[in-house]
Amino acid sequence: MLDLTNARRIGIIGGGTVGWLAAIALRRIFDVDVDVTVVEAPTVFPLGPGEGGSLNLTDTLCRNGIDVDVFIGEADATHKLGVLYENWRGGGISDHYYRMFGGSGIPEIECRVEGFFPLLSARIAAGENLHTYIPGFELIRRGASQNEIDELLATGESGLYPSYHFNDAEFERCLRRVGLARGITSRATVVHGMRLDDRGHVSALQLGGEELEVDFAVDASGFARVGLGTVFNMHWCSFANVLPTDHAIIFELEPREPPLQCVTRATAMKAGWMWEAPLNRSIRAGYVFSSRHADAAMALAELEHQYGYRVEAKHELSPAQGYFSTAWINNFVALGTASGFVEPLEAAPAAHTFEQLRNLECVLANGSGIVPAQAIEAYNSANARCWTGVRDFLRLHYDCKGIDTPFWRDLAGAELPEGYADLRACFQKRTPRFIDIQPYVASGWQSLFQQIDWISVAAPLGVVPPAAACAELRRLSAESQTEVQAYVDRLKGTITKISSTRGWMH
């Protein structure tokens, strides 16, 4: 049992976005006489290289009383309503598809029969793009301004759920200002280690020549990983054999002429992929690649060939992908990159961090500061499941065979993780279902990527072939088939029919 009812000080190792968010959340949960101190040790890359927010970003802000409009102004935030994928099927920049952040009220999502979406399956079977079912997509495709997007979202009829691109450094400054105003203490020094008591609990943070006594400690030190990697020596679960990229260069681009894109661009490259997150004053970008197939000089040369001008790397990183098997030990918990890391595809590092923090809040608040060992075990188990779900969803993006370079050829022949391999076999026969992603969540955790997200990536890549969509449509009742047929006729304006034995006939 962990009893924090008499806690006097909470210590946060590392500032950054993760550290200050954790401090603000814990300040809200604990009594006002409990000191919350952020030891702002130097951190690099606390959330990961992407600065495109995830779908749980807005909830994280609102839950912690951070005004979204203030966040937008102070963090140089711009709308992010989805991800644009270019060249992932090998057809060049013009060969693209979208994963939009679809919301409620859309017929294609509201209509569900026996665990699947018949209207989306009809689109797949008919060879139609999935992203165009979003009511607000056409305005986005035409390049709507930020103000036009504001107006579109205000109608409540866009079919979109908002998130944001943001400047990570400015977001941190915003959180720091909020935290200090709420009575959080800041110490500008480095945590060199931790003193443990005879129970294995953290009793003090070692700050060089002094110690800071604590009753609960949070590691937000990023890749420094002061706790799990140094003090506790937890087992590392590597994704190296599943997610092939292990190197990244980060750079900035000059902002393009307005209007700004309200999607993150993800472009498949020779040895990996590149992202662009458009902000008001710059475009934050990076190239994640495999060091077995390219080095930084080769990556920069490829970028400069693509853009037509010189690109200067601001940072160069070699992060290992994977996670620590245990993130919460006694009165110590690691969040964000301090607990694990994956490449920033789909803003997965940020999404996972926000979900970690939400569940930490839930456990502490629901137990009134008294946490049984089983709850900590459940948190660790759910955290591991969530990491596995992220791994498999990201691996899905690489399940394409249209790019003829050594990196992509090697990837096409690589062995798949058992869980994803089994899902892929299912997707050859039907579209993704909720039961497919249910094993990735437990103990109140929420899935970071929903059924519709898996469909939006699997179908354009051909992991869900049209024949699989046809097969599940044939299992509908005659009445439902008639309704779906009418939908397809309106969609295509051509004669397209379902046959109970032969599938779709064009």
Side-chain angles (χ1 to χ4, degrees), residues 275-289:
W275 80 87
E276 291 183 10
L279 305 177
N280 289 305
R281 295 186 286 274
S282 67
I283 297 175
R284 299 301 178 96
Y287 184 176
V288 180
F289 58 92

PDB file of all heavy atoms in Angstrom, residues 275-289:
ATOM      1  N   TRP A 275       8.078  14.477 -41.269  1.00  0.00           N
ATOM      2  CA  TRP A 275       6.857  15.176 -40.870  1.00  0.00           C
ATOM      3  C   TRP A 275       7.037  16.678 -40.977  1.00  0.00           C
ATOM      4  O   TRP A 275       8.156  17.195 -40.917  1.00  0.00           O
ATOM      5  CB  TRP A 275       6.447  14.810 -39.439  1.00  0.00           C
ATOM      6  CG  TRP A 275       7.209  15.551 -38.372  1.00  0.00           C
ATOM      7  CD1 TRP A 275       6.928  16.768 -37.825  1.00  0.00           C
ATOM      8  CD2 TRP A 275       8.409  15.104 -37.727  1.00  0.00           C
ATOM      9  NE1 TRP A 275       7.868  17.100 -36.878  1.00  0.00           N
ATOM     10  CE2 TRP A 275       8.781  16.101 -36.811  1.00  0.00           C
ATOM     11  CE3 TRP A 275       9.192  13.949 -37.848  1.00  0.00           C
ATOM     12  CZ2 TRP A 275       9.917  15.976 -36.000  1.00  0.00           C
ATOM     13  CZ3 TRP A 275      10.322  13.834 -37.052  1.00  0.00           C
ATOM     14  CH2 TRP A 275      10.663  14.837 -36.144  1.00  0.00           C
ATOM     15  N   GLU A 276       5.921  17.382 -41.150  1.00  0.00           N
ATOM     16  CA  GLU A 276       5.868  18.839 -41.100  1.00  0.00           C
ATOM     17  C   GLU A 276       4.681  19.235 -40.230  1.00  0.00           C
ATOM     18  O   GLU A 276       3.558  18.795 -40.462  1.00  0.00           O
ATOM     19  CB  GLU A 276       5.683  19.453 -42.483  1.00  0.00           C
ATOM     20  CG  GLU A 276       6.866  19.310 -43.412  1.00  0.00           C
ATOM     21  CD  GLU A 276       6.630  20.011 -44.736  1.00  0.00           C
ATOM     22  OE1 GLU A 276       5.628  20.760 -44.846  1.00  0.00           O
ATOM     23  OE2 GLU A 276       7.426  19.805 -45.665  1.00  0.00           O
ATOM     24  N   ALA A 277       4.948  20.056 -39.206  1.00  0.00           N
ATOM     25  CA  ALA A 277       3.896  20.588 -38.335  1.00  0.00           C
ATOM     26  C   ALA A 277       3.867  22.101 -38.518  1.00  0.00           C
ATOM     27  O   ALA A 277       4.754  22.803 -38.036  1.00  0.00           O
ATOM     28  CB  ALA A 277       4.171  20.228 -36.882  1.00  0.00           C
ATOM     29  N   PRO A 278       2.890  22.627 -39.242  1.00  0.00           N
ATOM     30  CA  PRO A 278       2.874  24.065 -39.549  1.00  0.00           C
ATOM     31  C   PRO A 278       2.416  24.907 -38.363  1.00  0.00           C
ATOM     32  O   PRO A 278       1.341  24.706 -37.801  1.00  0.00           O
ATOM     33  CB  PRO A 278       1.871  24.155 -40.703  1.00  0.00           C
ATOM     34  CG  PRO A 278       0.965  22.980 -40.504  1.00  0.00           C
ATOM     35  CD  PRO A 278       1.789  21.899 -39.886  1.00  0.00           C
ATOM     36  N   LEU A 279       3.269  25.871 -37.970  1.00  0.00           N
ATOM     37  CA  LEU A 279       2.924  26.850 -36.947  1.00  0.00           C
ATOM     38  C   LEU A 279       2.806  28.219 -37.609  1.00  0.00           C
ATOM     39  O   LEU A 279       3.036  28.364 -38.814  1.00  0.00           O
ATOM     40  CB  LEU A 279       3.988  26.864 -35.847  1.00  0.00           C
ATOM     41  CG  LEU A 279       4.289  25.517 -35.180  1.00  0.00           C
ATOM     42  CD1 LEU A 279       5.409  25.665 -34.154  1.00  0.00           C
ATOM     43  CD2 LEU A 279       3.045  24.946 -34.524  1.00  0.00           C
ATOM     44  N   ASN A 280       2.470  29.224 -36.833  1.00  0.00           N
ATOM     45  CA  ASN A 280       2.295  30.554 -37.404  1.00  0.00           C
ATOM     46  C   ASN A 280       3.601  31.160 -37.884  1.00  0.00           C
ATOM     47  O   ASN A 280       3.644  31.830 -38.910  1.00  0.00           O
ATOM     48  CB  ASN A 280       1.642  31.479 -36.369  1.00  0.00           C
ATOM     49  CG  ASN A 280       0.186  31.150 -36.126  1.00  0.00           C
ATOM     50  OD1 ASN A 280      -0.611  31.116 -37.048  1.00  0.00           O
ATOM     51  ND2 ASN A 280      -0.164  30.874 -34.874  1.00  0.00           N
ATOM     52  N   ARG A 281       4.682  30.932 -37.133  1.00  0.00           N
ATOM     53  CA  ARG A 281       5.946  31.596 -37.437  1.00  0.00           C
ATOM     54  C   ARG A 281       6.987  30.679 -38.062  1.00  0.00           C
ATOM     55  O   ARG A 281       8.066  31.141 -38.444  1.00  0.00           O
ATOM     56  CB  ARG A 281       6.513  32.235 -36.159  1.00  0.00           C
ATOM     57  CG  ARG A 281       5.627  33.353 -35.622  1.00  0.00           C
ATOM     58  CD  ARG A 281       6.278  34.067 -34.449  1.00  0.00           C
ATOM     59  NE  ARG A 281       6.251  33.273 -33.242  1.00  0.00           N
ATOM     60  CZ  ARG A 281       5.238  33.248 -32.386  1.00  0.00           C
ATOM     61  NH1 ARG A 281       4.148  33.951 -32.640  1.00  0.00           N
ATOM     62  NH2 ARG A 281       5.291  32.518 -31.280  1.00  0.00           N
ATOM     63  N   SER A 282       6.717  29.392 -38.144  1.00  0.00           N
ATOM     64  CA  SER A 282       7.656  28.457 -38.749  1.00  0.00           C
ATOM     65  C   SER A 282       6.948  27.129 -39.002  1.00  0.00           C
ATOM     66  O   SER A 282       5.801  26.933 -38.576  1.00  0.00           O
ATOM     67  CB  SER A 282       8.876  28.234 -37.841  1.00  0.00           C
ATOM     68  OG  SER A 282       8.485  27.552 -36.658  1.00  0.00           O
ATOM     69  N   ILE A 283       7.645  26.238 -39.680  1.00  0.00           N
ATOM     70  CA  ILE A 283       7.174  24.868 -39.854  1.00  0.00           C
ATOM     71  C   ILE A 283       8.176  23.974 -39.152  1.00  0.00           C
ATOM     72  O   ILE A 283       9.354  23.938 -39.521  1.00  0.00           O
ATOM     73  CB  ILE A 283       7.064  24.482 -41.336  1.00  0.00           C
ATOM     74  CG1 ILE A 283       6.022  25.366 -42.035  1.00  0.00           C
ATOM     75  CG2 ILE A 283       6.683  23.012 -41.481  1.00  0.00           C
ATOM     76  CD1 ILE A 283       5.943  25.136 -43.533  1.00  0.00           C
ATOM     77  N   ARG A 284       7.751  23.284 -38.098  1.00  0.00           N
ATOM     78  CA  ARG A 284       8.619  22.345 -37.397  1.00  0.00           C
ATOM     79  C   ARG A 284       8.607  21.030 -38.156  1.00  0.00           C
ATOM     80  O   ARG A 284       7.532  20.514 -38.496  1.00  0.00           O
ATOM     81  CB  ARG A 284       8.148  22.153 -35.961  1.00  0.00           C
ATOM     82  CG  ARG A 284       8.163  23.437 -35.139  1.00  0.00           C
ATOM     83  CD  ARG A 284       9.569  24.026 -35.086  1.00  0.00           C
ATOM     84  NE  ARG A 284       9.613  25.267 -34.342  1.00  0.00           N
ATOM     85  CZ  ARG A 284       9.945  25.348 -33.053  1.00  0.00           C
ATOM     86  NH1 ARG A 284      10.246  24.253 -32.382  1.00  0.00           N
ATOM     87  NH2 ARG A 284       9.974  26.515 -32.448  1.00  0.00           N
ATOM     88  N   ALA A 285       9.782  20.495 -38.418  1.00  0.00           N
ATOM     89  CA  ALA A 285       9.862  19.316 -39.274  1.00  0.00           C
ATOM     90  C   ALA A 285      10.976  18.388 -38.809  1.00  0.00           C
ATOM     91  O   ALA A 285      11.844  18.775 -38.013  1.00  0.00           O
ATOM     92  CB  ALA A 285      10.096  19.741 -40.731  1.00  0.00           C
ATOM     93  N   GLY A 286      10.948  17.177 -39.292  1.00  0.00           N
ATOM     94  CA  GLY A 286      11.981  16.203 -38.959  1.00  0.00           C
ATOM     95  C   GLY A 286      11.930  15.018 -39.903  1.00  0.00           C
ATOM     96  O   GLY A 286      10.922  14.772 -40.576  1.00  0.00           O
ATOM     97  N   TYR A 287      13.030  14.323 -39.968  1.00  0.00           N
ATOM     98  CA  TYR A 287      13.154  13.126 -40.793  1.00  0.00           C
ATOM     99  C   TYR A 287      13.605  12.001 -39.864  1.00  0.00           C
ATOM    100  O   TYR A 287      14.673  12.054 -39.269  1.00  0.00           O
ATOM    101  CB  TYR A 287      14.175  13.374 -41.905  1.00  0.00           C
ATOM    102  CG  TYR A 287      14.354  12.260 -42.927  1.00  0.00           C
ATOM    103  CD1 TYR A 287      15.209  12.445 -44.013  1.00  0.00           C
ATOM    104  CD2 TYR A 287      13.699  11.031 -42.829  1.00  0.00           C
ATOM    105  CE1 TYR A 287      15.402  11.449 -44.969  1.00  0.00           C
ATOM    106  CE2 TYR A 287      13.884  10.032 -43.775  1.00  0.00           C
ATOM    107  CZ  TYR A 287      14.742  10.245 -44.845  1.00  0.00           C
ATOM    108  OH  TYR A 287      14.929   9.252 -45.784  1.00  0.00           O
ATOM    109  N   VAL A 288      12.754  10.987 -39.721  1.00  0.00           N
ATOM    110  CA  VAL A 288      13.065   9.814 -38.913  1.00  0.00           C
ATOM    111  C   VAL A 288      13.476   8.701 -39.871  1.00  0.00           C
ATOM    112  O   VAL A 288      12.741   8.393 -40.812  1.00  0.00           O
ATOM    113  CB  VAL A 288      11.829   9.375 -38.090  1.00  0.00           C
ATOM    114  CG1 VAL A 288      12.149   8.149 -37.257  1.00  0.00           C
ATOM    115  CG2 VAL A 288      11.357  10.501 -37.200  1.00  0.00           C
ATOM    116  N   PHE A 289      14.646   8.093 -39.641  1.00  0.00           N
ATOM    117  CA  PHE A 289      15.135   7.122 -40.611  1.00  0.00           C
ATOM    118  C   PHE A 289      15.902   6.000 -39.927  1.00  0.00           C
ATOM    119  O   PHE A 289      16.209   6.051 -38.730  1.00  0.00           O
ATOM    120  CB  PHE A 289      16.019   7.808 -41.667  1.00  0.00           C
ATOM    121  CG  PHE A 289      17.216   8.526 -41.112  1.00  0.00           C
ATOM    122  CD1 PHE A 289      18.443   7.896 -40.988  1.00  0.00           C
ATOM    123  CD2 PHE A 289      17.117   9.860 -40.716  1.00  0.00           C
ATOM    124  CE1 PHE A 289      19.547   8.563 -40.478  1.00  0.00           C
ATOM    125  CE2 PHE A 289      18.217  10.536 -40.212  1.00  0.00           C
ATOM    126  CZ  PHE A 289      19.438   9.889 -40.086  1.00  0.00           C
TER     127      PHE A 289
END
